[in-house]
Amino acid sequence: MRQAPPEPASSSWAAVFSLAVGVFGLLTAEYLPASLLTPIASDLGISEAVAGQAVTVTAVAAMLSGLLTASLTRKIDRRVVLLGFTVLLIVSNVLVATAANVVVLMLMRILLGIALGGFWSMAAAAAMRLVPAASVPRAISIIFSGIAVATIVAVPLGSYLGELTGWRSTFLAAAALGVVTLVFQLCTLPRMAPHGSARLGTLWKVLRRPGFGVGIVGMLLVHIGHYALFTYIRPALENLMHVHVSQLAVLLFVFGVANFVGTLAAGWLLQTSLRLTLVLTPTVMGVAALGFALLPLGQAGYIVLLVLWGLAFGGVSVAWSNWATRMVPDQAESAGGLVVVGVQSAIAGGAAAGGVMFGMGGAVTVFTVSGVVLLASASLILLRVRAPRHAGTV
């Protein structure tokens, strides 16, 4: 019998919102270099290609941190661990803002990756400790709404602040957000004694649990299909919708808002059916992708598809984090680490695959192949992936 951690007697929604702010701060810091590459490169005397590796090293460090956090911190109060990651966020941003050379920049971005991967891997498991089981899907959707908000805000806000006050001041502002987050978490997060006995070998044991491995494959396919599309969303919108550069920002903002709404809506849909959510999200994304590639809909029709895509992807992270905690409630943190690694790997793999397809046949090929992959993943999930109704005994 494998049991979840003890269910809390009451809900700590303020703590849930503090974790959402933490996710927002971490993802905002991760995305900032994308809007500040040129001034960073100019100031440090490096190429933009080298400056861009600040994103790469963060992602690699996040993957490793997601894998190792549960085992390396297995005897430490989870409140202390989460607060520690927020402290790393603050330190990373302050030292990036004062970096005199590229070595310091990269080391501090690695520090951010450690905080990002560790915090993300523990977020769903922490939700299980903060609210009763029936409210866990909604809590996870609130926590992961921080990702959607960061997607909307980080790049345009970073670009604006960078022009207004310089790139270093932008990272100091991100550090200030981290300080606010730390105070919020100090005031709201309860003590959470470690549960379970996660070790490095636990990851392999979790992966071998009945139904977990095939679920991870389904999750990978969904994320690969999405990131192959999303990496080339700009040329797709330009070529298929024939929009001007000035309209792109508006369309990307619309996509981001739809993504945010989808994240919150997923919390309620998951309380109805986890299986429905897992199958519906890639199905809608796949249909939208094929609609972009194959149907002459006109701008209004393409905008509808863009909104549907954003809404559907908003539920993906929430659904799979819920799935992981329900499948292995006794090792939810290790399961969360595997989800983080899967997502980060899919980002790299999807972008690479999308590049090959884009080179072969442009945006139409990317959207067609990705649409097929997404619909295939929906079929795999429907036929082979287990979807427990509740976290608890599996």
Side-chain angles (χ1 to χ4, degrees):
M1 302 288 285
R2 300 191 291 267
Q3 297 290 334
E7 188 174 321
S10 60
S11 299
S12 299
W13 288 108
V16 170
F17 280 102
S18 78
L19 295 181
V21 176
V23 170
F24 170 70
L26 286 161
L27 269 294
T28 296
E30 183 184 23
Y31 295 154
L32 279 182
S35 59
L36 299 169
L37 281 185
T38 300
I40 290 174
S42 176
D43 193 11
L44 296 181
I46 57 178
S47 68
E48 291 183 0
V50 172
Q53 298 311 304
V55 177
T56 304
V57 297
T58 302
V60 172
M63 288 176 60
L64 293 175
S65 179
L67 276 177
L68 299 175
T69 291
S71 59
L72 294 180
T73 66
R74 63 183 180 274
K75 297 182 179 180
I76 305 174
D77 187 310
R78 311 332 270 162
R79 178 180 188 267
V80 174
V81 177
L82 290 167
L83 292 173
F85 287 135
T86 303
V87 170
L88 288 184
L89 164 68
I90 297 167
V91 172
S92 168
N93 283 322
V94 169
L95 295 181
V96 165
T98 58
N101 55 62
V102 68
V103 174
V104 175
L105 174 70
M106 295 301 176
L107 288 175
M108 292 308 102
R109 294 295 294 181
I110 289 172
L111 203 63
L112 175 67
I114 293 170
L116 174 64
F119 198 98
W120 190 348
S121 70
M122 294 181 63
M128 296 171 64
R129 313 284 294 276
L130 297 174
V131 298
S135 298
V136 167
R138 187 180 303 175
I140 294 178
S141 73
I142 290 171
I143 292 170
F144 283 99
S145 69
I147 299 176
V149 176
T151 303
I152 300 170
V153 171
V155 174
L157 183 61
S159 179
Y160 173 75
L161 291 178
E163 288 294 323
L164 190 66
T165 62
W167 72 270
R168 295 181 185 273
S169 296
T170 305
F171 279 96
L172 287 176
L177 173 61
V179 172
V180 173
T181 302
L182 182 63
V183 173
F184 191 8
Q185 291 171 350
L186 280 168
C187 294
T188 59
L189 284 177
R191 293 185 180 276
M192 292 178 279
H195 175 82
S197 55
R199 300 178 185 276
L200 287 177
T202 305
L203 294 167
W204 177 242
K205 292 178 181 177
V206 168
L207 202 55
R208 293 179 61 191
R209 293 269 184 100
F212 195 84
V214 69
I216 290 295
V217 172
M219 184 196 73
L220 282 170
L221 289 174
V222 173
H223 283 85
I224 287 172
H226 167 75
Y227 283 105
L229 295 174
F230 190 70
T231 304
Y232 296 92
I233 187 171
R234 175 168 178 166
L237 295 179
E238 290 175 336
N239 296 333
L240 298 175
M241 296 180 64
H242 306 293
V243 297
H244 299 294
V245 174
S246 59
Q247 296 173 296
L248 280 172
V250 175
L251 290 174
L252 291 174
F253 178 76
V254 168
F255 178 89
V257 171
N259 186 258
F260 174 68
V261 173
T263 300
L264 294 180
W268 280 269
L269 184 59
L270 283 164
Q271 291 179 314
T272 301
S273 173
L274 172 59
R275 177 175 294 280
L276 174 63
T277 311
L278 291 174
V279 174
L280 184 62
T281 47
T283 300
V284 172
M285 291 161 62
V287 169
L290 292 176
F292 266 105
L294 305 177
L295 300 178
L297 297 176
Q299 282 202 2
Y302 287 134
I303 290 172
V304 170
L305 292 180
L306 186 71
V307 170
L308 288 175
W309 174 15
L311 285 169
F313 186 68
V316 170
S317 293
V318 180
W320 286 104
S321 294
N322 267 279
W323 172 83
T325 60
R326 294 190 193 187
M327 286 293 289
V328 284
D330 57 315
Q331 295 293 349
E333 292 177 4
S334 294
L338 290 169
V339 169
V340 171
V341 172
V343 171
Q344 295 293 333
S345 301
I347 291 173
V356 172
M357 291 185 287
F358 189 80
M360 293 172 58
V364 171
T365 299
V366 174
F367 274 69
T368 301
V369 175
S370 294
V372 171
V373 170
L374 286 163
L375 292 179
S377 69
S379 299
L380 174 66
I381 294 163
L382 177 65
L383 297 174
R384 296 293 306 277
V385 175
R386 294 171 52 196
R389 288 189 60 81
H390 301 289
T393 303
V394 179

